[in-house]
Amino acid sequence: MPYLLLDEGAIVDSEHWSPEARNVVDAIFRLEHHRGTREAVELIGLLARWLEAPDQTRLRRHFAIWIKRVLLPNWIPESEGTEWHNLNKINDVHNMMAERAKRWPEQWKQQGLEEGLKQGREEGRKEGRQEGLLESEQKGEQKARLEVARNMIERTQLDDQTVADLSGLDIAQVRTLRDELKR
């Protein structure tokens, strides 16, 4: 596809460009930086009207292809992607956008909710695994401390406070363990 390099500043400031040409160029730049689907639909409608002349057929087609290939993939929900491939006229693109754009915010919202739920589930699973590992480690450490205290009670004459200090258990746990071993 041939291309035309345009200097936005030079066109807007130059007297050599007709007001109609400046409007088309302005609409193109505004379309690239639109602030919402309503503005995009309006700008595509303006382009279609400004390029109605029979000698503008190729330009209309090129704009339709540009909009379809460059702009629409970022705008339309994934569920509607294939329906746009057959549109080669700017009027068709404008009409379909005017019809469909009303539903897009709700579809984007639903898509965002689904992605948020998926991400939340993944993070929840990850946190759950981490908590499970931490809990398992803590249980393993507690079991090891109890085993150390049990060995000290059975093999030495150390008092409960010393066993608690050396094993890392609190004194109540050591006393409970000593009572269990006496039985």
Side-chain angles (χ1 to χ4, degrees):
M1 175 165 51
Y3 64 91
L4 174 63
L5 179 62
L6 301 173
D7 180 350
E8 180 181 10
I11 293 170
V12 172
D13 295 335
S14 174
E15 296 173 11
H16 300 309
W17 288 84
S18 68
E20 294 83 18
R22 277 187 264 184
N23 287 339
V24 170
V25 172
D26 178 61
I28 293 166
F29 289 121
R30 286 177 41 213
L31 190 56
E32 284 188 323
H33 305 286
H34 71 283
R35 290 192 169 96
T37 53
R38 179 180 289 143
E39 182 182 8
V41 169
E42 289 173 9
L43 289 167
I44 292 172
L46 287 173
L47 282 172
R49 281 195 301 275
W50 289 334
L51 300 172
E52 285 178 336
D55 63 330
Q56 303 288 352
T57 303
R58 285 187 61 202
L59 191 56
R60 282 193 309 270
R61 185 173 187 286
H62 287 303
F63 275 123
I65 291 169
W66 173 71
I67 292 167
K68 184 173 72 172
R69 290 184 183 167
V70 177
L71 301 178
L72 286 180
N74 296 320
W75 298 349
I76 61 174
E78 292 175 11
S79 60
E80 293 188 23
T82 58
E83 297 178 36
W84 297 86
H85 292 296
N86 297 327
L87 301 179
N88 291 317
K89 295 180 180 176
I90 196 165
N91 287 330
D92 293 343
V93 172
H94 175 255
N95 292 338
M96 188 174 267
M97 274 193 70
E99 174 190 328
R100 302 281 176 91
K102 298 169 192 167
R103 297 182 300 199
W104 291 348
E106 187 59 37
Q107 289 174 331
W108 292 328
K109 181 180 175 183
Q110 184 62 36
Q111 190 176 12
L113 286 172
E114 289 170 8
E115 289 176 17
L117 284 172
K118 181 181 176 184
Q119 184 179 356
R121 283 187 205 111
E122 288 172 5
E123 288 177 13
R125 286 184 190 117
K126 183 179 177 182
E127 287 178 15
R129 283 191 295 270
Q130 289 173 341
E131 287 177 12
L133 286 172
L134 180 62
E135 188 176 312
S136 176
E137 286 175 9
Q138 289 172 345
K139 284 181 181 179
E141 288 177 18
Q142 182 68 9
K143 190 174 178 181
R145 288 183 180 145
L146 285 169
E147 188 62 31
V148 167
R150 178 179 286 112
N151 288 337
M152 285 191 275
I153 292 169
E154 290 176 342
R155 297 180 183 166
T156 70
Q157 297 298 321
L158 296 173
D159 63 277
D160 289 349
Q161 185 61 53
T162 304
V163 172
D165 292 343
L166 294 173
S167 66
L169 297 174
D170 65 47
I171 194 151
Q173 290 174 304
V174 173
R175 288 181 183 146
T176 302
L177 182 60
R178 188 177 294 277
D179 290 342
E180 288 174 4
L181 291 172
K182 286 181 182 177
R183 292 183 198 147

